[in-house]
Amino acid sequence: EFGKTMAAATGSSTAAAQEFDFVRGVANRFGVELLDTADADAKFAASAKGTALEGEGARLVFEGIVGTMARLGASSADVSGALVQLGQGVSKGKFELDDLKSIAERIPGFFVQFADSMGISTAELYELISAGKIGARELLIFSDTLRDGLAGVDFDGFASSSARFKNAITEAYIEIGNAGAFDVLTTGVD
């Protein structure tokens, strides 16, 4: 699924492969599961297509959110859910309070961190949200702050190591599949 969605979002299978390399690096750095992370990235990148976040901006947001949530021990479902909510706001061009509340449920201190990244109070942030003035630019500022906060964080616990091990097995299956081994096996069975 990732390949098809990402090829549609990036415009080519070559660009999709480059994005998969990026996601692989993020997944292994933060110790999160590769396939779930790739699926979330593909959907978020598709939401960002044609917006100010397309490309590097989407990558910055993705990395900041995934890394922050991994640091907090969030599940793959929580990470995916947060990225879906962000994708909805990105595709609309602005974030509504409900979009951001859903993310705040998954990231403790979300609104305070978001406001701090912009140098404003949370009351001012709520006013901007209500006025429809929180969009891609503000999300980039916030995500850059989140990403900066990941410097020096240790992502080497049991769950992270288990995810990296699972990723290595997944990548082996992908390589075997890309080499055509599964086609040979299924053709032989038919």
Side-chain angles (χ1 to χ4, degrees), residues 45-117:
S47 296
K49 187 175 175 84
T51 73
L53 285 181
E54 185 173 1
E56 286 304 312
R59 282 181 166 196
L60 187 142
V61 171
F62 180 80
E63 187 175 0
I65 294 294
V66 171
T68 297
M69 294 186 76
R71 186 184 77 203
L72 297 169
S75 69
S76 296
D78 281 339
V79 173
S80 184
L83 288 165
V84 165
Q85 289 300 135
L86 285 172
Q88 289 174 359
V90 167
S91 64
K92 289 186 287 189
K94 65 179 180 174
F95 291 92
E96 295 173 5
L97 188 56
D98 286 342
D99 297 327
L100 298 177
K101 278 184 179 178
S102 176
I103 299 162
E105 291 171 2
R106 296 171 169 101
I107 301 177
F110 174 82
F111 286 111
V112 172
Q113 291 177 57
F114 203 121
D116 287 349
S117 73

Side-chain angles (χ1 to χ4, degrees), residues 10-190:
T10 60
S12 74
S13 58
T14 301
Q18 291 170 341
E19 189 66 13
F20 188 75
D21 288 342
F22 164 74
V23 172
R24 178 185 298 123
V26 169
N28 287 323
R29 175 179 172 208
F30 299 132
V32 296
E33 292 183 15
L34 178 60
L35 293 182
D36 291 338
T37 305
D39 183 55
D41 178 66
K43 290 174 183 171
F44 182 69
S47 296
K49 187 175 175 84
T51 73
L53 285 181
E54 185 173 1
E56 286 304 312
R59 282 181 166 196
L60 187 142
V61 171
F62 180 80
E63 187 175 0
I65 294 294
V66 171
T68 297
M69 294 186 76
R71 186 184 77 203
L72 297 169
S75 69
S76 296
D78 281 339
V79 173
S80 184
L83 288 165
V84 165
Q85 289 300 135
L86 285 172
Q88 289 174 359
V90 167
S91 64
K92 289 186 287 189
K94 65 179 180 174
F95 291 92
E96 295 173 5
L97 188 56
D98 286 342
D99 297 327
L100 298 177
K101 278 184 179 178
S102 176
I103 299 162
E105 291 171 2
R106 296 171 169 101
I107 301 177
F110 174 82
F111 286 111
V112 172
Q113 291 177 57
F114 203 121
D116 287 349
S117 73
M118 295 176 54
I120 60 175
S121 69
T122 53
E124 291 169 311
L125 176 62
Y126 287 127
E127 287 176 23
L128 291 172
I129 295 168
S130 296
K133 295 185 178 181
I134 297 295
R137 180 183 159 281
E138 292 77 16
L139 181 60
L140 276 173
I141 293 168
F142 174 59
S143 297
D144 195 39
T145 302
L146 289 179
R147 195 174 66 167
D148 289 348
L150 298 173
V153 174
D154 180 12
F155 290 97
D156 286 331
F158 176 77
S160 298
S161 295
S162 294
R164 287 184 190 102
F165 179 69
K166 184 176 179 180
N167 293 349
I169 293 170
T170 298
E171 289 188 65
Y173 276 116
I174 290 170
E175 290 299 318
I176 291 168
N178 288 342
F182 295 130
D183 293 336
V184 169
L185 290 173
T186 57
T187 302
V189 172
D190 292 335

